[in-house]
Each structure stands twice: as C-alpha cells, then as structure tokens.
C-alpha cells in the first residue's frame, strides 16, 4: 500500500512502477526536520486563525515535537518510512503525525498546499546550508592565511600563460585565493537575503483561504519577510539557482587552486608536496603518489556546474505556478550543497597538510629572467621610454640566453655594450629583494603590502 495525501478522486490503484517514478521521499526525506518545523509554525498560525483550539494546538505540537525527535535521533524511523512507501516527506510527516494525534493531524493541512510547504521547506533547508557553507569557506580562508603566515618571506615564481613571469611571495599567492573565497562567501550571504523570505500561506497558487497571519508565520520561522505574490511564491526557485550559481563559482575557484597545486606538486615543478593524508598510490606503479584529492575537487566542479545547468533548464520552459517538474530541483540542489561542502573540507585538509618546498621555490624564482621587467624599469628610471627599454631588455635577454647567464650574472661590460646608461647599481636593482620591493602598489606583492594584506585578512576573519 502506498501512502499519498490524495485519492478520493481516483478509482484505480496507482501503478507500482509509476509510484517509484513519482515519489520523492527517497531524497526529500532530508527535509523532514524543516518540514516539521514549518508545520509547528503553521499549527500555531492555524490556532490564531481559529482552526485549532488551544488544547488541540498543544496536542498537535506535542505530536510534531515527538516526531522531530524521532526524525533527528532515530535513523531507523526514516528507514521504516521508506519501506512504508510514502509519496514524499510531506505525506510522511502528516501520516506519522496522524498516527500520534488522530484526526487533528489531518486538520493541519487546512489552507496549506504542498506547493507553499515545499517552497518553505527548501528555503529553511538552504538557509541553514548557506550558513554552514560560509563557515566552511571561512575555515579554508583561515587555513590559507595561516599557511601564508608560516612563510611570510618565501618567494616563488609567478606564472602567466604558465610561463615564468615575475617573482611573487608565496603568501601573496595564497592570499589571492583568500580573496576569491571572500567573494564567494559574500555572494552566498547575498543570496541568503532572497532565500530568507517566507512563501508559506500562499496555498497551492492563489493564496490561503483561512485567515492565516503570514507575518506571524515568518516571525515563528525567523524569516526576514514574506513573499508578495502567491503565484510567484509557489514556483519561484530563483533562490536555489542563486545558491547553485555561487556554488559553481566557488567550485571554479577550488578547481583552479587544485589545478595549480597538481602542477606544483609534479616532479617537473616540485614546488609543493601533498600530504600522505590526502594522496593515493597506484595499484601497479609502486613509486606513484597521486594528488587524488585535488583531482576529485577539479572533477566534481563539473558536477556542480551541471546541477546548475540542470535546474536552469528545468525552469526555462515552465508555465506559471507550480508544476511537478519542480520536484527535480531537490536532487540538483542537494548535490550542489553536498559537493561544495565536501570539497571545501577536503581543500582545507590539502592546504593544511601540504609541504612547501621552500628551497626549490626560491631557486626557481631566480630563474627564467623574471627580473627582466625590472631591468626595463631600471632603464625607465634613467629616462628611457618604457617601450624602448622593453625592446632593449629583450635583446639583452637573448644575449644572456645564448651565453647561458642570468641577468645578474652578466658582466657590466656586456651591459655597457647595449647601453651606456648601465651602472654598477644595476645588480642591486636585479636582486630579488629589490624586485619584490618595487611592487609596492596597493594589492602588490611587496613584502610590506603582503604583510598588510595578511593583517587585513586576519581582521576580516576575526583572528
Ligand atoms: N514532492 C513535491 C515536490 O518536490 C512536493 C510538492 C507536490 N505538489 C503537488 N502539487 N503535487 O515538488
């Protein structure tokens, strides 16, 4: 026997295969807690509207609270619900409540539809998940900041086009991801404002026919406000899309960081070493240590972007108001939430257990003519227009390359053969220290700027 909240109009039993196709309890059971919380608020609203007497309300609330405890503390309770073939979480809660409080349980749905109910559940759920996700983002930011603090002076090669470009501080590199994550958290918190609006009391589409006080419901459930239009309220999933979009972007950041670290940990780069805690071996090649944690984060980014595309695609052709297509929102949203949260935690572990190959970083930062721009700047200081200086240094680099020398190793007389303006102070200008110090513009990699950025990050994180 399947358990549904309707049936009066039907003569024949629902097809078993169709039941499986139609049911959502197998995945929306994760909304059980918020569904009960929503029902507790709605029951109080019904009392104010004169539908429940106060003694009836007490009974219903006691039943719902008991249910809440079972759902939260006894995993076998939901498992039994799955075996009992409930159509969805709302049916589960109503039937189980009715088992406890009899006909009063059936009164609870007065004026309410699963359409405003599920929209409310989803917002309650997502509000919590956003808060948890933002906390996880902050944990990762803290880990990045503490890694940066461990190595405030370490220099590494900075790349553009994946070619050595200019030396940067490792701390500056780590803080660049701190900034991306800061925007991710801000986006989630901004989306939260639009999640935190109550649709309950909108009925199936046109409103609630009992005198339900929606502002009271919103207060009960700690919503900032109430939705303004019942047709919109019951079918709006913008808030889910907004979350998924912020989640996709956050995953893109995690994926780029993964890609960096996968490369930096190769034998070719050797800038970092992954912790054994987050690496795996090969079943065939005994020497292998693979950065699976990072590859999975990079891989799962596709999944989160895919969920967002799936829901956008589901929404695009929907006629106004609720359509069953909307049931498809849940697995996509849950998938994004779960994946993002897991990836944030794994990335934190990766950063925390990663070893920085300080020597190699410093050595590599000296190679690749990464101070060539600074040589051009040196000529600029001597009055040469930048474009000319750029050309001149290009020629000097070709010369040095042929001789197998770095710019610091080139003899003064060789410099003089290119330009009479070069003086012995050129060697100081080419030193990595000077190179870094020169990048003193706000947001640059000079040690002073990076130190200030670190302090700022700590203030922002409340450390
Ligand atoms: N399981 C449904 C969903 O997730 C609940 C709402 C059902 N509403 C309805 N009118 N059939 O969307």
């Amino acid at each position: 026997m399947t358990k549904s909240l309707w049936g009066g109009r039907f003569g024949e039993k629902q097809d078993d295969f169709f039941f499986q196709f139609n049911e959502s309890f197998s995945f929306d059971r994760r909304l059980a807690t918020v569904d009960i919380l929503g029902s507790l608020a709605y029951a109080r609203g019904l009392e104010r509207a004169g539908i429940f007497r106060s003694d009836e309300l007490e009974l219903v609330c006691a039943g719902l609270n008991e249910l809440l405890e079972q759902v939260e503390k006894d995993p076998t309770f939901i498992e039994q619900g799955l075996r009992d073939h409930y159509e969805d979480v709302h049916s589960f809660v109503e039937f189980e409540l009715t088992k406890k409080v009899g006909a009063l349980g059936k009164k609870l749905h007065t004026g309410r539809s699963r359409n405003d109910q599920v929209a409310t559940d989803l917002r309650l759920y997502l509000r919590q998940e956003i808060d948890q996700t933002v906390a996880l983002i902050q944990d990762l930011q803290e880990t990045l900041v503490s890694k940066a603090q461990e190595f405030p002076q370490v220099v590494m090669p900075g790349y553009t086009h994946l070619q050595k470009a200019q030396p940067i501080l490792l701390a500056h590199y780590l803080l660049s991801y701190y900034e991306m994550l800061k925007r991710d958290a801000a986006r989630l918190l901004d989306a939260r404002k639009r999640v935190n609006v109550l649709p309950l009391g909108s009925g199936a589409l046109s409103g609630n026919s009992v005198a339900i006080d929606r502002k009271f419901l919103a207060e009960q459930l700690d919503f900032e406000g109430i939705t303004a239009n019942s047709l919109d309220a019951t079918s709006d999933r913008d808030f889910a899309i907004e979350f998924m979009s912020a989640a996709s972007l956050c995953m893109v950041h995690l994926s780029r960081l993964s890609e960096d670290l996968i490369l930096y940990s190769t034998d070719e780069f050797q800038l970092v070493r992954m912790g054994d805690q987050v690496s795996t071996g090969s079943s065939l090649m005994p020497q292998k240590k693979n950065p699976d944690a990072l590859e999975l984060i990079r891989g799962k980014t596709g999944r989160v972007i895919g969920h967002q595309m799936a829901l956008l695609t589901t929404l695009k052709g929907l006629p106004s108001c609720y359509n069953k297509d909307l049931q498809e929102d849940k697995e996509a949203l849950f998938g994004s939430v779960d994946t993002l949260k897991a990836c944030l935690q794994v990335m934190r572990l990766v950063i925390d257990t990663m070893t920085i190959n300080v020597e190699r970083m410093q050595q590599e930062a000296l190679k690749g003519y990464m101070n060539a721009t600074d040589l051009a700047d040196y000529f600029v200081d001597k009055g040469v227009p930048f474009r000319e200086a750029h050309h001149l240094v290009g020629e000097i680099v070709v010369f040095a390359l042929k001789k197998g020398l770095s710019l610091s190793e080139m003899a003064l007389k060789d410099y003089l053969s290119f330009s009479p303006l070069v003086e012995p102070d050129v060697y100081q200008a080419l030193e990595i220290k000077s190179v870094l110090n020169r990048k003193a513009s706000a947001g640059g990699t000079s040690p002073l700027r990076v130190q200030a950025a670190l302090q700022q990050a700590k203030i922002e994180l409340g450390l």
Side-chain angles (χ1 to χ4, degrees):
M1 243 301 270
T2 58
K3 289 196 170 128
S4 313
L5 295 171
W6 44 268
R9 177 192 195 292
F10 292 78
E12 294 203 48
K13 183 183 162 294
Q14 193 176 52
D15 180 85
D16 286 343
F17 189 74
F18 176 65
F19 172 82
Q20 296 297 340
F21 184 74
N22 184 51
E23 69 83 31
S24 54
F25 190 51
S26 55
F27 50 87
D28 68 13
R29 65 197 148 118
R30 80 158 79 185
L31 300 175
T33 298
V34 289
D35 195 75
I36 297 168
L37 292 175
S39 293
L40 276 163
Y42 194 68
R44 291 189 201 105
L46 284 182
E47 189 226 13
R48 283 166 68 101
I51 305 292
F52 281 140
R53 290 194 315 266
S54 65
D55 59 316
E56 290 178 326
L57 173 67
E58 239 171 76
L59 275 173
V60 169
C61 288
L64 284 169
N65 280 318
E66 204 181 301
L67 213 52
L68 193 59
E69 189 150 327
Q70 281 174 299
V71 160
E72 295 203 321
K73 303 212 170 115
D74 177 10
T76 63
F77 186 60
I78 296 256
E79 281 160 26
Q80 184 53 46
L82 285 168
R83 285 193 290 274
D84 286 346
H85 298 297
Y86 285 110
E87 184 180 286
D88 57 25
V89 66
H90 323 294
S91 323
F92 168 75
V93 170
E94 188 172 316
F95 272 97
E96 292 297 330
L97 177 69
T98 304
K99 277 192 206 164
K100 292 182 197 299
V101 302
L104 283 178
K106 299 185 185 173
K107 246 178 154 179
L108 178 61
H109 211 53
T110 313
R112 189 171 64 167
S113 157
R114 281 183 291 169
N115 299 352
D116 58 347
Q117 189 175 357
V118 75
T120 304
D121 288 3
L122 218 49
R123 287 169 184 263
L124 283 168
Y125 159 81
L126 190 55
R127 196 173 68 178
Q128 275 174 10
E129 293 296 346
I130 287 178
D131 292 344
Q132 287 176 21
T133 308
V134 168
L136 291 173
I137 290 179
Q138 280 167 0
D139 287 348
L140 176 56
Q141 287 180 299
E142 275 179 40
T143 308
L144 287 166
V145 165
S146 87
K147 238 337 166 229
Q149 260 185 313
E150 255 181 80
F151 304 97
Q153 306 290 340
V154 172
V155 188
M156 66 180 278
Y159 302 88
T160 60
H161 312 263
L162 212 52
Q163 308 285 325
K164 282 202 171 99
Q166 290 177 342
I168 54 175
L169 286 182
L170 169 65
H172 194 54
Y173 167 77
L174 293 170
L175 286 176
S176 70
Y177 282 96
Y178 169 89
E179 290 297 324
M180 293 176 223
L181 291 166
K182 189 162 96 186
R183 294 196 295 276
D184 291 327
R187 261 186 288 274
L188 286 171
L189 290 172
D190 190 59
R192 192 190 192 282
K193 292 182 204 154
R194 285 170 296 283
V195 173
N196 203 17
V197 185
L198 175 84
L200 194 60
S202 299
L205 70 159
S206 61
N208 188 303
S209 44
V210 304
I212 203 89
D213 180 350
R214 297 190 58 218
K215 290 208 169 115
F216 168 79
L217 294 178
E219 277 162 31
Q220 294 288 303
L221 293 168
D222 213 13
F223 278 100
E224 252 330 285
I226 58 174
T227 53
N229 179 298
S230 61
L231 304 179
D232 175 44
T234 44
S235 64
D236 168 24
R237 296 294 181 274
D238 295 3
F239 64 92
I241 294 283
E242 283 192 54
F243 171 84
M244 292 162 99
S245 154
S248 298
L249 200 41
C250 185
M251 286 298 299
V252 166
H253 296 147
L254 297 182
S255 187
R256 293 188 73 180
L257 178 54
S258 299
E259 174 64 9
D260 278 351
L261 297 177
I262 290 167
L263 274 172
Y264 295 172
S265 66
T266 56
D267 194 46
E268 286 71 14
F269 277 80
Q270 291 182 41
L271 300 180
V272 299
R273 270 192 308 278
M274 289 301 117
D276 286 356
Q277 297 91 325
V278 292
S279 304
T280 63
S282 156
S283 58
L284 177 70
M285 299 165 282
Q287 85 286 5
K288 290 287 297 269
K289 179 170 162 185
N290 297 326
D292 289 30
L294 294 167
E295 290 167 278
L296 281 171
I297 293 173
R298 192 178 57 187
K300 285 174 192 290
T301 302
R303 183 196 285 248
V304 174
I305 295 170
H307 288 319
Q308 185 196 348
M309 291 307 136
L311 186 53
L312 278 170
T313 311
T314 297
L315 292 176
K316 82 170 262 298
L318 286 192
S320 184
C321 304
Y322 180 84
N323 298 269
K324 191 62 173 269
D325 316 43
L326 288 175
Q327 180 165 291
E328 290 292 309
D329 60 2
K330 278 161 219 68
E331 285 159 295
L333 179 63
F334 298 162
S336 287
V337 167
D338 293 346
T339 309
L340 176 59
K341 283 169 72 183
C343 289
L344 285 165
Q345 290 174 82
V346 171
M347 186 56 94
R348 183 190 187 177
L349 204 56
V350 166
I351 303 294
D352 201 33
T353 55
M354 169 175 85
T355 309
I356 305 293
N357 192 347
V358 174
E359 252 152 64
R360 172 88 176 180
M361 272 193 182
Q362 315 257 44
Q363 276 167 13
E364 289 302 307
L366 294 172
K367 294 186 198 159
Y369 301 93
M370 286 197 293
N371 47 4
T373 320
D374 301 271
L375 183 57
D377 290 341
Y378 177 84
F379 285 118
V380 168
D381 285 348
K382 308 256 171 196
V384 181
F386 179 77
R387 195 48 58 212
E388 268 174 43
H390 183 281
H391 190 81
L392 182 60
V393 174
E395 288 172 348
I396 296 174
V397 166
V398 172
F399 173 88
L401 264 171
K402 271 193 197 137
K403 296 238 165 186
L405 298 171
S406 72
L407 292 177
S408 306
E409 288 164 344
M410 257 180 63
L412 189 61
K413 69 167 181 24
D414 288 332
Y415 273 117
L416 288 168
S417 73
F418 284 96
S419 163
L421 294 170
V422 182
E423 292 174 74
D425 65 353
V426 72
Y427 295 104
Q428 206 207 323
L430 288 172
E431 270 176 28
I432 201 141
K433 241 182 158 173
S434 328
V435 169
L436 287 171
N437 283 334
R438 283 182 75 102
K439 298 295 182 295
S441 57
T445 197
S446 81
L448 278 177
R449 287 293 188 184
V450 173
Q451 208 46 44
L454 258 175
Q455 286 316 317
Q456 177 61 25
K458 281 166 68 182
I459 291 168
E460 286 166 2
L461 291 171
L463 297 175

